[in-house]
Amino acid sequence: MQRQPLVIANWKMNGDRALVVTMADALRDSAAQHAGVSVVVCPPAVLMPAWQQVAFYDNVQLGAQDANENSSGAHTGEHSLALVQEAGASMVLIGHSERRQFYGDNAKRIAAKVSHVLESSPMTAVLCVGESAQEREQQRTFDVIAQQLNEALQNIDSAERLVIAYEPVWAIGTGLTASPEQAQEVHAFIRNWLNEKFGPSGANLQILYGGSVKADNAEQLFAQADIDGGLIGGASLVPEQFVAICDAAQTRSK
């Protein structure tokens, strides 16, 4: 079974209503160019309703950048699954390196979030994993990735509604990018891990690359056997760049 390419825009704490309109228009106008690609936009939570107002076409979904592992309660500043789903989200990013590094998303919280999404909602969990520069230099990449996957998915028995995003921390916002061969090597490792964990369904699970993906390197990255698309940061804030990346993913669907 051929996996459908998937491209996710992570705006992080960027963007505004003007970008919502220009990005929605750009994706609408170019929809035929990447009709075989699933596209997801994850704006800041306060912009999700604005996106719902203008992006009313089928091939672009709305995603959330994070969601709390609790259903409700005294968690000031957090958003529950019910809230982000009500805002229109069909996917949730979990365990992004910035959440791990700066906002207390340790292994226990990440595992709880993955379980909560898959058990308490119809949404898809996009689990982010990746190694630091030091860990890569120490040749610990595979050990780190395996540990992160084990910790997050230890209580998960099905690959349904699950996506993995490999984001080498050393390539996020630095301008550095793993070569297509380096990225494929890690993606192949993740694929083998998923096959061992989930059996045949692991072969159909989408694995994305995230780490300074741009229009000029996307096609080479997406041409790799186990890279099914991208989790896009800075380039997702520039409509022309993001559309070009979606177009590059279209070549994988042929």
Side-chain angles (χ1 to χ4, degrees):
M1 178 180 177
Q2 185 176 8
R3 299 179 296 271
Q4 184 176 27
L6 171 63
V7 178
I8 302 178
N10 178 17
W11 287 7
K12 306 186 181 183
M13 200 173 71
N14 299 296
D16 51 25
R17 288 177 179 270
L19 181 59
V20 166
V21 173
T22 56
M23 183 64 75
D25 288 345
L27 290 172
R28 183 184 297 109
D29 293 343
S30 62
Q33 300 168 199
H34 44 258
V37 179
S38 292
V39 180
V40 182
V41 176
C42 299
V46 294
L47 292 178
M48 292 170 70
W51 182 268
Q52 281 292 83
Q53 291 174 5
V54 298
F56 48 81
Y57 41 100
D58 293 337
N59 70 323
V60 178
Q61 302 175 60
L62 181 62
Q65 295 180 15
D66 186 44
N68 193 272
E69 65 271 29
N70 297 285
S71 298
S72 60
H75 304 286
T76 301
E78 294 285 284
H79 302 93
S80 69
L81 287 181
L83 286 173
V84 297
Q85 184 181 347
E86 188 176 73
S90 59
M91 289 191 177
V92 184
L93 305 183
I94 298 174
H96 190 281
S97 60
E98 293 157 1
R99 297 291 315 174
R100 293 176 186 262
Q101 183 176 359
F102 301 118
Y103 299 105
D105 277 19
N106 56 25
K108 182 178 179 180
R109 286 200 75 191
I110 291 167
K113 289 182 178 186
V114 172
S115 296
H116 190 41
V117 171
L118 299 181
E119 295 171 3
S120 304
S121 81
M123 290 184 282
T124 295
V126 182
L127 172 65
C128 302
V129 298
E131 83 282 16
S132 67
Q134 183 180 25
E135 290 164 340
R136 173 165 279 272
E137 290 169 3
Q138 295 172 344
Q139 299 185 334
R140 295 180 54 220
T141 294
F142 294 153
D143 291 339
V144 170
I145 299 299
Q147 181 178 352
Q148 291 174 344
L149 290 169
N150 274 310
E151 290 170 343
L153 302 178
Q154 57 185 321
N155 298 321
I156 306 302
D157 298 322
S158 171
E160 186 179 359
R161 294 187 292 111
L162 182 65
V163 171
I164 306 298
Y166 167 56
E167 43 158 26
V169 179
W170 50 271
I172 299 173
T174 63
L176 299 174
T177 305
S179 69
E181 294 76 19
Q182 286 175 318
Q184 167 57 23
E185 183 181 33
V186 181
H187 278 241
F189 173 82
I190 295 172
R191 179 75 60 205
N192 289 334
W193 190 96
L194 294 170
N195 289 343
E196 291 180 8
K197 167 74 173 177
F198 297 114
S201 62
N204 297 326
L205 197 152
Q206 293 156 313
I207 309 175
L208 311 182
Y209 174 74
S212 295
V213 179
K214 298 180 175 62
D216 59 3
N217 63 18
E219 189 167 348
Q220 285 185 308
L221 287 164
F222 298 164
Q224 303 303 307
D226 291 295
I227 300 180
D228 302 314
L231 176 60
I232 316 301
S236 73
L237 300 170
V238 183
E240 297 81 4
Q241 279 266 330
F242 189 62
V243 166
I245 291 169
C246 294
D247 292 347
Q250 175 68 27
T251 62
R252 185 175 177 82
S253 68
K254 296 179 179 178

